[in-house]
Amino acid sequence: MTVAPAISTELTAVTQEAAQPGWWRRMPTKAKAGVVLFGLFVLTAIIGPLVTPYDPSYQNPSPGVSMNAPSAAHLLGTTQSGQDVLSQLLVGIRLTLELGIIVGVVATALAVIVGVTAAFLGGFWDELLSLVTNVFLVIPALPLLIVLLGYFPNRGEAPTIIVLALLGWPWGARVMRAQTLAIRNRDFVAASRETGERTWRIIAVEIVPNEVSLIAASFVNTVLYAIGASVALAFIGVADLNSWSLGTMLYWAQSQQALQLGAWWWFVPPGLAVALMGTALVLLNTGIDELGNPRLRDASSASRIAGRWLKPADPTPVLSEISQRRNGFAGFLHSFSRSSLLDKAEAGEGR
Amino acid sequence: MSFIIRRLVFYVVAAWVALTINFFIPRLVPGNAVESIMSKFPNLQPAAYRAIEAMLGVGHPGSIWHQYWAYLVDVAHLNFGTSTSEYPAQVSTLLGEALPWTIVLVGTATVIAFLVGTALGIAAGWRHGGGLDRVLPGLMFLQAIPYFFFALILLELFAVKLHVFPIGQGYGQGLIPGWHWDFISSAVYHSLLPALTIVLTSIAGWMLQMRNVMITTSGEDYVVAAQAKGLSNRRVVLTYAARNAILPQLQGFALAIGFVVSGALIMEIVFSYPGIGLLLVNSVTSNDYALTQAIFLVITFTVLLANLIVDVIIVFVDPRARAREATR
């Protein structure tokens, strides 16, 4: 239980790192790289739009400014219609990151609510919510997103956020449910139940704080999903094409033949920005994973004892084996899930 | 009831949810196909509304439940209506033309990526901290790059600059699709670069997952026991560690099919590949609602079918599951 508070501190406290050098030093290298890289993007998103050299939509009418390679006047060159790529990039990073984070917050909140509720209520409600989660996991998200957004007339930012958030929760909900099931049977939860705590208080004070590392990981994953999906949607033209996001930049670059004309400065910067943003999030997530499971750490964390390299031992497994008895309808619902395959056969079963 | 039949029931429920969503979306969102056509052609008289409705076959009379039933019957008969963007082609004809392209290319590429990624993951997980393990951060970067961007870069490099591969399309111009050598060789040649992009971008995910499970598995007592018995390294890795690590990997594979399909849709747009993804995007941008909805259903059903196949494989590979199936 010492792990969870440590992560929460580290994640919220990029600013506190000076005050608490200990936390920073103990962080896995990958997580550090992720925090620094992601921090740079957040900084760019905050400051970037304030320092753009040009208006990103301004189309310079003089023909000499069309499709210019990077120069002193236009650090990242210009587009076909004479727009400044750097300005578009700075504005685009903010819009894309903003969308990713909003979707991440909303979808993670939904995931926590669904997952924790399912695990805590147990029985019929658990199986029903799990069934819904599994159905939404198996329906391919991107085609559904395209169909849903196709019906919104202007395909602006708000519908995109709503639709992405509504389809982004099932993965997180699955993980949260498994973890809650594991925690729910621990002694400290039983103790607080015995002392007469209300259910919502047990959930809010005893259970959720112990899941902070998983919630953080789920949040990072959801942001990754949101950025990837929104950029992909914009790239294929299912977005507000008058706004500047990394996806719409790529859309215009693709549709105006930047590739065939060799204008690498037009499509490489936005693509690289998305890729680096994604890398930062993946690194951050691996770092969080490694904090929870030292076995996954680099060999560098191994220590040499009596001539042999020993890796740090595995701590108590986070996901302890969950064995539940399911009766009646709940058991019936459960038998349709893939995980029912891994259930232990109960005594008397298997005539 | 056997596991497979139960899973089949689950997929039928999922399919029904998809069908129902598909039915209600156009009825809940403001505006409809007819209005979007009316707004595109301001010269149309209001009286034309009924005519367009009849042309598209959207003006179903009767209560919403009546419409719902008629819709389900239509889908069961593969009657998806008429396409407006390629009028007067039937939606089902367009689907029949596009689907084989996607299934062959994406299916093959995904299976290759899964097999190679899993093999690399076994190697990296067994030699934890070894050479293969060190290239992981690089592979993670590859994984974080959006599919289409990576595809664009490869297209620029190999097709535009080096002329090794063709720039998009499914087959050479002037060829008539059919079972003759010219066409097949051209189709294979055109599919190499798209397939390569799918393999390269998804391999890292499989490798990372397999590596992580392998690391955990190779610490298990039975692996240590196998080594203590003096079994060959190859045998310990493959029949003891990897054999047990493959089950979570297969489950992960089933869960990831949807993502693979989504990525492949985008790939088709980059390469102008004549598959279902390109058709979907063209239908959305031209407000061809009947086609869009039918494509969503077809993709969903394909994904469900792929999931069912993976379930069968899981039962086949997992001896516990096989034993339970036998006793039921």
Side-chain angles (χ1 to χ4, degrees):
Chain A
M1 281 311 102
T2 51
V3 178
I7 290 164
S8 69
T9 321
E10 272 156 6
L11 275 187
T12 51
V14 185
T15 45
Q16 286 176 30
E17 74 202 34
Q20 295 179 317
W23 293 121
W24 181 248
R25 237 186 310 121
R26 257 177 272 154
M27 240 160 118
T29 324
K30 282 179 196 154
K32 273 187 215 168
V35 168
V36 170
L37 202 55
F38 194 67
L40 280 177
F41 274 106
V42 173
L43 219 62
T44 314
I46 296 169
I47 302 171
L50 306 174
V51 296
T52 50
Y54 300 87
D55 174 1
S57 304
Y58 173 66
Q59 305 190 351
N60 200 323
S62 76
V65 196
S66 169
M67 284 285 211
N68 275 4
S71 63
H74 298 276
L75 286 177
L76 285 176
T78 57
T79 71
Q80 183 123 47
S81 45
Q83 295 155 325
D84 182 51
V85 176
L86 179 64
S87 307
Q88 292 184 355
L89 187 71
L90 290 173
V91 175
I93 286 177
R94 173 188 280 193
L95 200 66
T96 303
L97 198 64
E98 195 179 71
L99 186 139
I101 288 175
I102 296 174
V103 172
V105 170
V106 178
T108 309
L110 280 174
V112 172
I113 292 170
V114 173
V116 173
T117 315
F120 211 84
L121 294 178
F124 168 74
W125 290 108
D126 179 21
E127 294 306 330
L128 191 71
L129 284 173
S130 299
L131 185 74
V132 175
T133 311
N134 285 335
V135 166
F136 275 95
L137 267 179
V138 86
I139 294 178
L142 192 70
L144 185 54
L145 281 169
I146 295 174
V147 172
L148 281 170
L149 286 173
Y151 277 102
F152 283 97
N154 51 6
R155 294 164 193 164
E157 207 191 342
T160 310
I161 289 177
I162 295 170
V163 173
L164 281 174
L166 280 180
L167 291 179
W169 57 267
W171 277 92
R174 239 175 110 93
V175 179
M176 297 313 301
R177 174 181 166 270
Q179 175 75 345
T180 310
L181 277 177
I183 291 182
R184 188 176 94 125
N185 297 327
R186 296 252 175 96
D187 288 345
F188 67 93
V189 178
S192 62
R193 201 180 286 130
E194 289 307 312
T195 53
E197 297 277 20
R198 284 156 197 269
T199 308
W200 67 263
R201 213 189 125 82
I202 297 177
I203 291 178
V205 179
E206 307 286 348
I207 292 190
V208 171
N210 280 306
E211 294 174 341
V212 169
S213 73
L214 269 185
I215 295 175
S218 166
F219 172 73
V220 171
N221 263 335
T222 317
V223 174
L224 194 61
Y225 141 85
I227 290 177
S230 71
V231 170
L233 284 169
F235 174 70
I236 60 179
V238 187
D240 179 6
L241 295 173
N242 296 319
S243 67
W244 292 109
S245 73
L246 296 176
T248 51
M249 280 182 77
L250 285 163
Y251 170 83
W252 289 114
Q254 157 90 352
S255 66
Q256 298 186 4
Q257 315 274 314
L259 196 65
Q260 283 82 346
L261 298 170
W264 56 269
W265 58 87
W266 191 356
F267 66 87
V268 169
L272 209 59
V274 179
L276 285 174
M277 234 185 243
T279 312
L281 290 166
V282 172
L283 284 171
L284 214 57
N285 225 359
T286 329
I288 297 174
D289 263 2
E290 289 182 357
L291 276 172
N293 184 359
R295 261 195 201 177
L296 298 179
R297 270 181 211 166
D298 282 341
S300 61
S301 65
S303 45
R304 194 167 178 166
I305 300 170
R308 276 198 65 183
W309 285 100
L310 293 176
K311 286 166 202 136
D314 206 4
T316 328
V318 182
L319 297 174
S320 65
E321 202 151 322
I322 303 147
S323 56
Q324 286 180 294
R325 269 190 168 279
R326 295 181 177 83
N327 326 322
F329 197 58
F332 176 71
L333 273 183
H334 176 73
S335 71
F336 291 95
S337 69
R338 185 176 286 127
S339 59
S340 72
L341 196 60
L342 303 176
D343 287 351
K344 289 237 166 65
E346 288 183 32
E349 207 193 38
R351 298 136 281 229
Chain B
M1 215 185 338
S2 98
F3 174 73
I4 296 299
I5 295 179
R6 281 173 189 272
R7 290 303 289 166
L8 193 61
V9 174
F10 169 76
Y11 293 126
V12 170
V13 172
W16 170 74
V17 172
L19 279 169
T20 308
I21 293 176
N22 204 23
F23 174 78
F24 281 105
I25 296 167
R27 287 163 176 82
L28 291 178
V29 175
N32 61 39
V34 182
E35 273 166 26
S36 90
I37 290 184
M38 296 285 287
S39 65
K40 249 194 279 179
F41 301 99
N43 299 338
L44 284 175
Q45 301 294 318
Y49 195 95
R50 287 265 162 243
I52 298 172
E53 217 173 49
M55 180 186 90
L56 301 179
V58 290
H60 286 300
S63 72
I64 194 140
W65 300 114
H66 182 82
Q67 290 178 35
Y68 186 57
W69 180 247
Y71 159 82
L72 290 181
V73 170
D74 275 352
V75 171
H77 290 104
L78 298 180
N79 176 14
F80 297 113
T82 313
S83 162
T84 52
S85 60
E86 310 225 4
Y87 193 81
Q90 286 294 305
V91 168
S92 44
T93 320
L94 293 173
L95 287 175
E97 283 166 10
L99 200 57
W101 289 99
T102 303
I103 289 185
V104 171
L105 174 66
V106 176
T108 319
T110 306
V111 170
I112 291 175
F114 177 76
L115 293 178
V116 177
T118 306
L120 287 174
I122 292 174
W126 186 252
R127 298 231 172 278
H128 181 31
L132 251 182
D133 224 19
R134 295 216 188 89
V135 302
L136 263 177
L139 281 174
M140 268 187 228
F141 178 71
L142 218 57
Q143 196 190 2
I145 302 179
Y147 256 137
F148 61 88
F149 182 64
F150 185 67
L152 278 176
I153 299 285
L154 285 195
L155 194 66
E156 159 88 8
L157 209 64
F158 289 109
V160 179
K161 288 254 151 61
L162 299 174
H163 303 287
V164 185
F165 291 111
I167 306 177
Q169 306 295 334
Y171 49 91
Q173 279 183 335
L175 284 169
I176 301 149
W179 292 109
H180 48 86
W181 175 246
D182 280 353
F183 172 72
I184 294 173
S185 63
S186 167
V188 169
Y189 177 52
H190 278 75
S191 70
L192 286 179
L193 193 58
L196 190 70
T197 58
I198 298 183
V199 171
L200 284 179
T201 41
S202 53
I203 230 170
W206 302 126
M207 183 177 163
L208 193 69
Q209 191 186 335
M210 189 64 189
R211 162 195 177 262
N212 286 354
V213 185
M214 266 302 275
I215 291 172
T216 318
T217 318
S218 46
E220 296 279 352
D221 288 345
Y222 57 81
V223 175
V224 180
Q227 281 178 311
K229 280 198 287 185
L231 295 178
S232 73
N233 222 359
R234 186 189 149 83
R235 199 174 148 86
V236 176
V237 174
L238 292 182
T239 32
Y240 284 75
R243 181 71 180 74
N244 286 294
I246 198 87
L247 284 169
Q249 178 82 342
L250 274 174
Q251 300 233 355
F253 183 72
L255 284 173
I257 292 173
F259 283 101
V260 172
V261 169
S262 301
L265 296 185
I266 309 290
M267 180 279 300
E268 285 182 1
I269 293 143
V270 174
F271 289 97
S272 317
Y273 203 74
I276 211 100
L278 193 64
L279 197 62
L280 177 62
V281 171
N282 288 342
S283 75
V284 167
T285 42
S286 56
N287 289 329
D288 188 347
Y289 295 108
L291 188 55
T292 309
Q293 291 202 309
I295 294 174
F296 166 64
L297 286 183
V298 166
I299 294 175
T300 307
F301 289 175
T302 314
V303 168
L304 294 182
L305 189 68
N307 265 281
L308 185 67
I309 294 172
V310 175
D311 276 337
V312 173
I313 296 177
I314 289 176
V315 170
F316 206 71
V317 172
D318 189 343
R320 288 169 300 182
R322 244 180 302 152
R324 288 185 59 189
E325 289 296 281
T327 55
R328 270 187 195 176

